[in-house]
Amino acid sequence: MVDDRYEGFRKSYRWLFSLPSLWLVLLYNILLLLVAIFLGLLKGYELNSLLVALASIAIPFTVTFIIDRRVLTLKRLLGLYSIYLVFLFPVILLGKQLLLATIPFVLFSFLVFLAIARRTALASFLAAYLSTIYFLQHQFLLYVIIPVAVYITVAFPILYNINRRVKLVAGVGGLKYLRSFLRYTLAGEKKEVEECLSAAAVKKTVPIHVFELYSDGALLGRIVVSGVHPGPLRTLGSSTLPEAILEKCHSALFLKAPAGHGENLALSRDVEKVAEKVCGETSRAEQTGSATLGVADGKLVRSISLRFSNGVSLCLLDPQVSMEDLPATLREEFEEDHVVVADLHNMIDDNFIQLPEDPQENPELHLDVKQTILESLRDVRAEGVLKAGLARVKYSDKLSVGKGGISCAVFSIDDKKLAIVSVDGNNMDPVFKVLVNRELASGLDYLLLATTDTHVMTGLFQGVDYYPVGSLNKEQILRNIRDCLLEASQNLKECRVSYRVVPVNALFMDGSKLKGLSRVTRLNVRDGLLLAMLALLSLPILLLLL
């Protein structure tokens, strides 16, 4: 069993959250600290006993801060310390030994540090805690060692299983995978997480198709259709590929071919090499100055084809229903006939559909898309000399539109005008798609909206996978698209087209392993939450027993 929609990944990184500013966290700690001391004195505890209880965690935290301050920052440690101060309240109110509150908190911190800290920091935390107890209140040491030992004994088989599940799928232990991912998320440490991704990767070749537009011998720009998927998230793998190509090329429109996470680069260092090959070289192939425009409508997509006289065709697939990535098998099938397929990736909501990679799993859906493409290749709406104009607006809201901004291409064939707008984002809000077509389609025969499918902002915000284009800042994005289309129309020139393929031979993520990893991630999150609950429940158990 695999997780085709990567729900395990989606649900797991929604647990990540950001703390407020350091000053707010510090203020919250001071408030809790004053309340704890006040309650303690009110209940008859000596000030020295309260200070010992506070120091028993503060000292080990100081040690871990010194050892691993990149991840265990002052703000994060203060955030954890505030949980300990809350644990103190029921102990104080029930008149129990104050150091009882340290036990469940140390167990909880053990899990947190196991997930995010270096092994030296975890070992130092436990050693510093036991040493502090020994020197400050040695008669309580046995009461600490026994529950900690019992918990670790109970937790060990669960942690072993967490480690084993991931290793069977990805070749790397689950705890290393988790720690590397969280350290990347918290401190930007990329090396270890990409080592883990590489362990589950395969060496293969994925094409990037480049259409170069020339006017009077000068390069106008490029239409780049990438078989490399811009994922998996943030700056990992090939997530930054669209912005790298858009920044490096003289002028370009970035589109993605049908592709999924199995076409993610495993190593981000390959992105610049790929961008250099796409933008640093030019085609020596035959140039053609005429094209034929064809259109066909299916149940799932509208296909608009540009057929060039050199025998190469470009089919632009505009989803008509909420849809995720079209599979790479669709791209591969048509490449054999010199047809380049672009997935415009521009319509998403909670009820999206996704075509399986194997056409036999849902042949009806595949057949509908395939027939629509073929029909558009037979259709003739316009035929003649090709004119083209490109433009780009450098805009990013850092929420739904990335650094690649908004790129536009306007084509004119005979008396027909086709405009393509590509926004550096991940999919599009259906309501926004309708809005843009209603507001900006005037004067155009066909207006196509696309997104680059960049994953730079995926997993960046608490509680959501990502914000589709148009779900935020609608009016600003609409204005920028209008400006981009106007500039592209003004740049319209008679042109000739040449075509080349950039083969990307590199380590790519294994799609089947990623789906299997997503499934076991869901199970591991469940087991991790169970361990956390056991750690927290140890407090009422200890209060009842001691």
Side-chain angles (χ1 to χ4, degrees), residues 210-212 219 221-224 251-253 278-279 281-282 500:
V210 184
F211 295 87
E212 293 173 343
L219 180 67
R222 297 175 174 90
I223 309 298
V224 179
S251 177
L253 185 81
V278 171
C279 304
E281 301 173 8
T282 54
R500 64 189 172 97

Side-chain angles (χ1 to χ4, degrees), residues 391-393 395 401 404-408 421-424 477 480-481 484:
R392 180 181 170 212
V393 174
Y395 162 79
V401 180
I406 299 168
S407 303
C408 301
V421 178
S422 177
V423 184
D424 190 29
I477 298 172
N480 284 321
I481 291 175
C484 189

Side-chain angles (χ1 to χ4, degrees), residues 334 352 397 426:
F334 280 92
F352 69 87
D397 59 7
N426 189 346

Side-chain angles (χ1 to χ4, degrees), residues 49 137 159 272 372:
S49 298
Q137 208 159 344
L159 292 170
E272 281 303 315
T372 306

Side-chain angles (χ1 to χ4, degrees), residues 198-256:
S198 298
V202 291
K203 187 88 169 179
K204 63 180 180 181
T205 301
V206 175
I208 293 180
H209 303 275
V210 184
F211 295 87
E212 293 173 343
L213 309 175
Y214 293 88
S215 179
D216 296 326
L219 180 67
L220 286 180
R222 297 175 174 90
I223 309 298
V224 179
V225 184
S226 175
V228 178
H229 183 263
L233 77 166
R234 301 196 179 189
T235 60
L236 295 178
S238 43
S239 298
T240 60
L241 183 63
E243 66 185 61
I245 287 176
L246 289 167
E247 286 296 326
K248 191 169 285 288
C249 283
H250 161 68
S251 177
L253 185 81
F254 185 99
L255 304 172
K256 89 172 187 79

